Amino acid sequence: MDQIRADQVKLPKNQRYKIGDILSAIGLKKATYHDERKRIKNHTDKYADIKIKVKKITEDGKCRGRLTYGYRRVQDELIKLDVHIADAVVRRLMAELGVQVSLYNRHKNGKYSSYKGTIGKVAENLLEQNFNQAKPYTVLHTDVTQIRLGNHKWAYISAITDEASKEILAFQISNSPNRILITKTVDEQVTK
C-alpha cells in the first residue's frame, strides 16, 4: 500500500489511486490499514531490556568461545533476575538475537549427515513403486528398526517381510546396525 502511494507521489492528484479503491481491491478494511500503520509508526520493543539480559546471560555462559546456554538455562537465569516470561518467548528472543546453542546436537540441528554420495551400484527400479502384490515371495521388504531399551541402550531389529502375506519371514536383533546384522537376516531367509 505504502509502496503504491510512494510510486504515485509525482503524478497529479486526479491520476492517483484513492486509498479506498486500493484497499477494496486487495480486500482490506480501512480501519485495519490505519490501525496497522499506527502500530508500525509507534512500535516499541517491549522486550528490549529483557533482550539485553538474555544477551548478557548467553555471553556469560560461553565456553571456549561457544554458546552453551539453551533456553531452559537462560530462563532459569532470568527467573533469578526476577524476570518471568514464557519459555516460548525466551526461545523466540534467543532466535531473534541469534544466540542459540552452537554445540553439535545430532537430534536437533540436523547438521551432521553421514551421506557420502552414491557408493556402489544402484539397483534397477523393477517395482516402480507398485507394492501391491498378491503372489507370495514376489516382493520382499527389509528394514532396520531402532528401539530404545529400558536400560537406555539401543537395539536394532532387521526384518524381511513378504508384501503379499505381510508375514515376517526372517529377523535378527543386534546392538549395532552393521552389515553383519543385515547379512545374518538375509542368510536366515535364504536357508529357510
Side-chain angles (χ1 to χ4, degrees):
M1 206 37 214
D2 292 334
Q3 184 63 47
I4 293 170
R5 292 181 69 200
D7 290 345
Q8 295 189 341
V9 167
K10 295 176 183 172
L11 294 173
K13 199 165 193 173
N14 62 352
Q15 292 180 358
R16 297 180 197 167
Y17 293 118
K18 294 182 178 117
I19 293 176
D21 295 340
I22 298 170
L23 291 173
S24 63
I26 61 174
L28 188 65
K29 295 193 184 303
K30 201 170 189 175
T32 306
Y33 167 70
H34 288 294
D35 184 49
E36 193 61 30
R37 279 185 55 97
K38 185 178 173 185
R39 189 175 297 124
I40 291 168
K41 183 180 175 185
N42 299 329
H43 176 69
T44 56
D45 188 3
K46 68 179 185 178
Y47 295 114
D49 46 338
I50 296 175
K51 283 182 180 178
I52 293 167
K53 292 176 183 177
V54 168
K55 190 80 170 162
K56 182 177 179 347
I57 290 167
T58 54
E59 286 296 319
D60 291 345
K62 274 187 173 181
C63 178
R64 296 183 189 149
R66 289 182 151 187
L67 298 168
T68 59
Y69 278 19
Y71 79 92
R72 288 187 182 102
R73 285 175 86 180
V74 170
Q75 188 172 24
D76 289 344
E77 293 297 318
L78 286 171
I79 289 170
K80 289 177 187 174
L81 297 171
D82 204 32
V83 176
H84 300 276
I85 55 175
D87 58 347
V89 176
V90 175
R91 284 196 306 267
R92 181 169 51 81
L93 294 177
M94 288 178 72
E96 286 175 14
L97 295 169
V99 291
Q100 288 101 341
V101 177
S102 59
L103 291 173
Y104 171 70
N105 183 340
R106 71 185 173 123
H107 295 295
K108 298 261 186 209
N109 65 15
K111 288 185 180 173
Y112 174 76
S113 174
S114 62
Y115 181 70
K116 291 181 173 55
T118 306
I119 297 172
K121 292 193 309 185
V122 177
E124 238 181 282
N125 187 1
L126 299 174
L127 294 177
E128 295 176 355
Q129 288 13 68
N130 180 13
F131 298 111
N132 300 325
Q133 291 292 327
K135 189 176 173 188
Y137 295 99
T138 308
V139 175
L140 304 178
H141 298 283
T142 183
D143 189 23
V144 176
T145 304
Q146 179 180 4
I147 298 172
R148 187 158 201 145
L149 302 175
N151 61 1
H152 300 291
K153 292 188 178 180
W154 295 99
Y156 300 90
I157 300 173
S158 173
I160 297 176
T161 56
D162 182 22
E163 174 60 39
S165 65
K166 308 294 188 224
E167 178 185 4
I168 297 173
L169 303 173
F171 76 94
Q172 291 289 318
I173 301 172
S174 176
N175 58 0
S176 65
N178 53 22
R179 187 171 37 109
I180 297 166
L181 173 64
I182 308 300
T183 307
K184 281 184 179 178
T185 311
V186 172
D187 288 344
E188 181 184 340
Q189 174 59 34
V190 170
T191 58
K192 278 189 173 180

